[in-house]
Amino acid sequence: MLSLRAELSMMVIRCMFFLLSVFLMSGCKSAEDYLSEGQDLSSEGNAKEAISLFEKAIQKNPFLKDAYIQLGQCLENLNQHDSALRIYMKLLQLYPDNTAAYYYSGICKYSQQKYHEAIALFDKAIDTKGGFNSADTTSIQALLDLSKDNFESESVETDIPTRDILYDRGMAYYKSGQLKSAFCDFTNCIIQKYNTGPSHYMIGLCRLSKATRATAH
């Protein structure tokens, strides 16, 4: 009986040491560790599981931009657009000129079919990158504006190329009936050789919608 009790005591001690080591190891994780683990889960399609890890990353480091963006995108994937918007707004409170926060907020509004609000957010995203004259599709300045993305990049996760923003803003313009503005954005995408097929298609739809309006009047 004494040996059995001794064995049981040793097992209890081993379990306590194991649990303590696990606790200590988890406590030593950095914000970047949680971010990396969350990204792995997110890339595997486990958005729900990834959310808690991104939240832990933010708790560890409230200034980790990528964690906010990744968390917001997971919420978007779960169609929790209002929750995603709140995350992006928190990031903008810390970094008022964060391109991605404005851009993904615009994507959320677009998903909610709030096209005018989406356009305003896409405008702000472009402004953070130095602005862009969408109506100018012929001058060298338009090419220079689009070429900014070749050397201006914050990081893969938090910076968005101007051409991406223009295409999505063009879609929002089209959905809201602002055909001329949509035409300009899609034309600039073609100049940049970005989404050329879809952009040509959308330009065709803009022309068709314009012709239909003219016929109706």
Side-chain angles (χ1 to χ4, degrees):
M1 290 295 294
L2 290 175
S3 60
L4 180 59
R5 288 181 179 176
E7 287 181 15
L8 289 173
S9 298
M10 289 299 296
M11 288 178 62
V12 171
I13 292 171
R14 288 195 192 101
C15 288
M16 290 177 64
F17 273 114
F18 175 75
L19 293 172
L20 180 61
S21 63
V22 170
F23 175 78
L24 290 174
M25 287 178 64
S26 63
C28 292
K29 285 185 180 180
S30 67
E32 288 73 16
D33 292 331
Y34 285 122
L35 175 63
S36 179
E37 291 177 15
Q39 287 172 326
D40 290 340
L41 286 173
S42 178
S43 65
E44 295 169 0
N46 298 322
K48 289 183 178 179
E49 291 80 358
I51 285 173
S52 63
L53 291 171
F54 293 136
E55 289 174 338
K56 288 179 180 178
I58 292 171
Q59 289 173 359
K60 282 278 186 177
N61 181 2
F63 299 95
L64 188 59
K65 301 175 187 177
D66 288 5
Y68 289 91
I69 297 299
Q70 295 288 342
L71 174 55
Q73 288 185 291
C74 281
L75 291 167
E76 285 183 63
N77 291 336
L78 296 172
N79 292 319
Q80 299 180 31
H81 301 298
D82 287 331
S83 295
L85 283 165
R86 284 193 289 271
I87 296 300
Y88 298 139
M89 290 303 109
K90 286 182 181 179
L91 179 56
L92 286 169
Q93 289 174 1
L94 297 172
Y95 301 99
D97 294 324
N98 187 271
T99 305
Y102 282 120
Y103 172 73
Y104 287 116
S105 293
I107 295 295
C108 284
K109 291 294 185 180
Y110 183 92
S111 298
Q112 295 175 324
Q113 299 184 359
K114 298 177 180 179
Y115 302 120
H116 291 286
E117 292 181 44
I119 291 166
L121 289 162
F122 290 142
D123 287 344
K124 289 181 178 180
I126 291 174
D127 287 342
T128 65
K129 299 175 68 64
F132 182 85
N133 182 6
S134 181
D136 186 351
T137 60
T138 58
S139 75
I140 189 64
Q141 186 59 47
L143 292 173
L144 288 173
D145 285 343
L146 284 166
S147 296
K148 288 177 183 177
D149 297 311
N150 293 331
F151 54 86
E152 288 186 2
S153 180
E154 189 177 339
S155 80
V156 174
E157 303 298 340
T158 58
D159 193 32
I160 308 295
T162 301
R163 57 185 175 267
D164 290 40
I165 306 171
L166 289 176
Y167 184 83
D168 289 310
R169 188 178 69 174
M171 291 298 298
Y173 274 136
Y174 176 78
K175 291 288 188 177
S176 64
Q178 301 179 62
L179 301 178
K180 184 177 180 180
S181 296
F183 184 95
C184 290
D185 278 350
F186 292 128
T187 299
N188 276 300
C189 287
I190 293 170
I191 291 174
Q192 185 66 0
K193 298 180 180 179
Y194 175 73
N195 272 359
T196 52
S199 294
H200 278 296
Y201 176 75
M202 291 308 302
I203 284 175
L205 288 183
C206 287
R207 288 172 173 162
L208 180 62
S209 297
K210 186 176 180 181
T212 302
R213 286 183 182 180
T215 304
H217 289 299

